[in-house]
Structures are given as structure tokens and as C-alpha cells.
Amino acid sequence: MKRLCIISLVLVFSAAWVGMPGPEPYTPVYPAYFGNRIDVPANNPMTVQGIQLGRMLFYETALSANHQLSCATCHRQELAFTDGRKFSAGVDGVLQERNTMSLANLLWERNFFWDGRARGLEQQAQTPLTNPHEMGQELSVSAARLQVLSIYPPLFRAAFGSDTIKGEMILKALAQFERTLISDNSLYDRYLKGVYKPTASEAAGIELFYGKGGCGHCHGGPKTYNELYHNNGLDSVSKDPGREKITGASYDRGRFRVVTLRNIALTAPYMHDGRCASLEEVVDHYSDHIVSSVTMSPFIQGNLNLTAEGKKDLLSFLRMLTDSSFIADPRFSDPFKTDRRSVVRTF
Amino acid sequence: MIFFVFSVHIVLAQGPSIKVSGEVTKPLTLGAADLAGMKRVTVSMKDKDGNEHAYTGVAVGEILEMAGVTTGKQLRGENLTKYMLVKCADGYEVVFSLAELDADFTDRTVIIADQSEGKPLPPGKGPIRLVVPGEKKPARCTFQVTELVIRYAKE
């Protein structure tokens, strides 16, 4: 029986290698409380082979102009796919204008970057790959480089039915992999599933977050964000135009996306410009340092004036959102870590 | 000879507007002047301060009719499965079924308002917002409306 299973598996994988019977559809698994408003474009369905290829490309340094950087350079799994820096440096050493965003539960997101300018992950992925101050390599050059690395043409054939690699396939595979980065196993999830009883401080933090703090207006619900853009009272005149640069509307000055709070304790520094070095500083901002401006969100009514205990409780709740299994999940880890030559055998 | 190179930052001159799209026969983009030229209505709505305030603008039904959306006598059969998605500048979105907005179905007039108590709306809420009289929660009385999208609800 065991032998039969192994033979069947070999046959299935062999079939995939030669393009038959085509890539296997992949259905993402997530708790019902996240809802099903997911964003998977009709022309890029998730497949087992597409995701596996996307994971390799995410860690592939051949996609950068200097062969030194991959997506994972700035999106490190152990830091919930951030890099701990205020601004990340690209292939030319130039720093980014905004803080690197964490990656989690992107399956539900429709617009990307701090200003939401990219519609869909496929479009988003193009910027870091080609921007001269990030990975700095045209997609056509990346495709040509992958074409001559023997491991890739068969993987592209398995995922997309052709071993002639095109830039669009690179974007699609990356997007498929990124859509699998689901964080749903934090203490907060266990609390939502009724299998964890929060400590007194955590419970008080949840109450403050959804009650007096009003944090839930933008960060509420199990996903801990809504796809909104707000000026959260950082400056009287925002140096960075934020969404205004995209829309041209003056009321969008200094508006940035409401970020997920999932794994927030791991993703310092904070805000679009990384100005807050710690989570404590973020809580202090909302409690004591709100700066009013014409475009400040009408949902921020000024300082929350939290007590020391209130701040502690809020932090306790925010730390409940750390998902230690997400940051160690082998499905999201570097497939090249052990031995690049063995990668092919692992799929 | 000296050449001067000027870098000019172009600020978009046109003011905020509302786009009406989706299941329409005439897609529209209405600016402040367009709204000012349409049939104006004033409705009353209780704000967070607990008091009734007068809001003036254009009935959503009027705008939908102008865009060729199925309203009035046409709002029957499968057209009753249509909804209006309201999109706002901050990314906020809410939904109404078309019947909730139609004068043949309800006496409540939902409006796109550009004035409150005869004055332009305050920054953060204006220049254009949705006013939904009579709702217990103000969550659908949205600020800075940018788009009305008409769609069929599909299973």
C-alpha cells in the first residue's frame, strides 16, 4: 500500500513536470471570522505549483541587479516579513522613502503600499523588483536570468504551462505565494476561537481598544485593519504627501493606510516613516502626542490621555497578536537555506 | 548661454467630484458646480451632538436617474437585486439596495450633501458627504464621497 502511494505521488509530480495534467488548484485555509472577501484575480488562480515557485522567487537573489537582494532581504520571516529598519536600502544603497510594510493576510487586501497606489499584489510586486533604489532589475532581464538557471524552466512549466519565462509569470508566482502568508494562530486567535482566556491586563486592553480608545474604528475585527487611509495626527503639516500624491486631492494630504496590527510587536519601527522606535512610543503617540491638522482623521478626537495602566493593558493586547507559528512556518521559509542544489528535490 | 531648467510641480486644479458607474446607461462625473445646478433638497439629520442639523444637496435618487440607473417603475424583478456601493476618499465603503434610495419605495430622502446649515461642510467631512436621515447609527452617513457604483448582487 505504502509503495503504491509513493508510486502515485511520483506519477503526480512527474505529470506536473511535463505539463500534464496542469497545476493543481490550491484553496487557502483560514478561520471563518476573516470572512471571504478575498482578492484572487481570475487570471492568476492559486495553484500548488505557482505557490511553490513564488516561494523560491521570493528568496531568489537573481532577481536583483547586484545578485545580493531578494524580496526576503527586506521582508524577513522572523520579523513578520519586515527588516527592523526605519528605511530599507536598495541595490544602489539608496534608502526607501517609507518604512517596509509587514506581510500578513494579504489575501484580503486589494490595494498596496502605504498610499494604496497598486491594485493587487501582481501590480505591487513590480515596483520593488524594478525600482532602481530597490532590487533594480527590469522584469525582462530577471526572466532571462531565470531562464538560464536550470531549476527554473521546469518549475515555470509546471506552474504556468510554459518554460519560456516571462516577467508577468514572475509577478503572478510571487503574488500567489504572498497570498498564502496567513497569520491566524496568535493568542488573540485562540481567544477568538474560545480556547484561551486572556489575562486581566489583556482583557482590559481589548476593552480599551474597542471601547474608550476607539482603535477598533480603523483596526477593528479579527483582521485588525480595515482598508482605510487616514492622517493619524503625526504632524501639523505632513512632509510626505501620502495619498495626496496619488489622488491630487488636498484632503488626502498625509493620509496613509491603516496597517494590520497582526504581529505588530515584531515589526518595529512604526509609522510610514519609522519615527516610532517601539510599540510603547506608538501608544504614547495616540495617548499624548496627537498633532491636529486640516486633514487629520475626524475619527481621532485628540489625545486619548491613557493612564500608565491603560497603556500597559493596550500593549498586552497588542502583544496577543504575535503569531509565533507564522514566523517559523516552514512553508514560508527560505527554500535555499540548506542547499540550493537540493531545492528541486524538495518539490 | 545659460539655460535654466525649472521643475514645475503641477497641482491638480479640478475640485473633488463624484463618479457614478457600473450598471448605468450614462456614466457621470459630477463636480461641485454640477451639484449646485441640480434640483436642491434640504433634509434634517441628527448628528453625534444629539441635535438635528439641516443638510442641503442633491437626492441620490435624482443622481441615479440622471445616470440611467433603474429607478421608479423600472425598479422591479431582477433590478431589485441591485445595490449601490458608496466609496469614500479614505477607502471606507458602504452599501444600499436601490430600493432603499427610491422615492417609490420610501419617503426617506438620502442625499449627497455639500452644505450644512447653509455653509460648506467642514474639512474631514466635506466637500461632499452622504446624509441618511433616520438611521440609528451614523455608520452609513459617510464623509468625502468619491464614487457611487451600481452593481447586481450575484450569488
Side-chain angles (χ1 to χ4, degrees), chain A residues 18-75:
Chain A
V18 294
M20 298 166 57
E24 305 153 55
Y26 175 86
T27 306
V29 178
Y30 50 83
Y33 53 62
F34 279 165
N36 297 309
R37 200 189 188 196
I38 60 173
D39 196 61
V40 180
N43 68 354
N44 192 23
M46 295 171 79
T47 66
V48 172
Q49 289 77 6
I51 293 162
Q52 286 171 343
L53 173 60
R55 177 182 165 205
M56 290 175 68
L57 297 177
F58 189 84
Y59 289 92
E60 180 54 75
T61 53
L63 297 179
S64 65
N66 64 1
H67 285 205
Q68 302 289 314
L69 304 185
S70 70
C71 307
T73 307
C74 301
H75 295 289

Side-chain angles (χ1 to χ4, degrees), chain B residues 44-55 117 125 135-136 138:
Chain B
S44 178
M45 184 177 72
K46 196 181 270 185
D47 277 340
K48 275 197 167 166
D49 62 8
N51 299 320
E52 295 279 340
H53 291 277
Y55 285 93
E117 307 291 2
K125 298 187 178 177
E135 299 231 311
K136 284 188 185 172

Side-chain angles (χ1 to χ4, degrees), chain A residues 37 110 217 227-230 243 246-249 251-252 255 294-296 298-299 301, chain B residues 11-12 14 16-17 48 85 89-93 123-127 143-146:
Chain A
R37 200 189 188 196
R110 292 171 292 163
H217 184 88
E227 205 161 321
L228 298 174
Y229 306 88
H230 280 289
R243 255 178 95 72
I246 314 307
T247 66
Y251 54 49
D252 281 332
R255 267 185 176 159
V294 182
T295 61
M296 190 175 81
F299 301 105
Q301 311 276 330
Chain B
V11 178
L12 297 182
Q14 80 264 28
S17 56
K48 275 197 167 166
L85 176 68
D90 66 357
Y92 192 63
E93 295 175 344
K125 298 187 178 177
F143 306 143
Q144 295 177 339
V145 176
T146 57

Side-chain angles (χ1 to χ4, degrees), chain A residues 190-213:
Chain A
R190 291 171 60 197
Y191 157 71
L192 292 174
K193 290 167 189 165
V195 294
Y196 174 75
K197 187 173 182 298
T199 64
S201 180
E202 288 166 350
I206 293 170
E207 201 179 316
L208 184 54
F209 184 88
Y210 281 101
K212 186 197 158 206

Side-chain angles (χ1 to χ4, degrees), chain A residues 8 22 103 106 110 151 176 209 216 225 231 242 310 327 329 336:
Chain A
S8 306
L103 308 180
L106 306 175
R110 292 171 292 163
I151 56 172
Q176 286 190 42
F209 184 88
Y225 77 92
N231 176 330
I327 59 168
D329 193 325
F336 302 120

Side-chain angles (χ1 to χ4, degrees), chain A residues 97-156:
Chain A
E97 291 178 357
R98 294 175 184 153
N99 184 248
T100 296
M101 307 197 80
S102 75
L103 308 180
N105 302 338
L106 306 175
L107 181 62
W108 289 267
E109 275 188 47
R110 292 171 292 163
N111 301 295
F112 294 86
F113 295 120
W114 279 100
D115 51 17
R117 68 185 182 277
R119 177 69 184 87
L121 272 169
E122 289 78 3
Q123 193 189 337
Q124 184 279 333
Q126 188 158 356
T127 295
L129 288 170
T130 59
N131 179 353
H133 307 313
E134 295 187 64
M135 292 165 76
Q137 184 163 271
E138 286 305 317
L139 287 177
S140 55
V141 177
S142 290
R145 278 189 169 173
L146 296 179
Q147 193 73 57
V148 296
L149 294 174
S150 61
I151 56 172
Y152 280 111
L155 293 175
F156 274 89

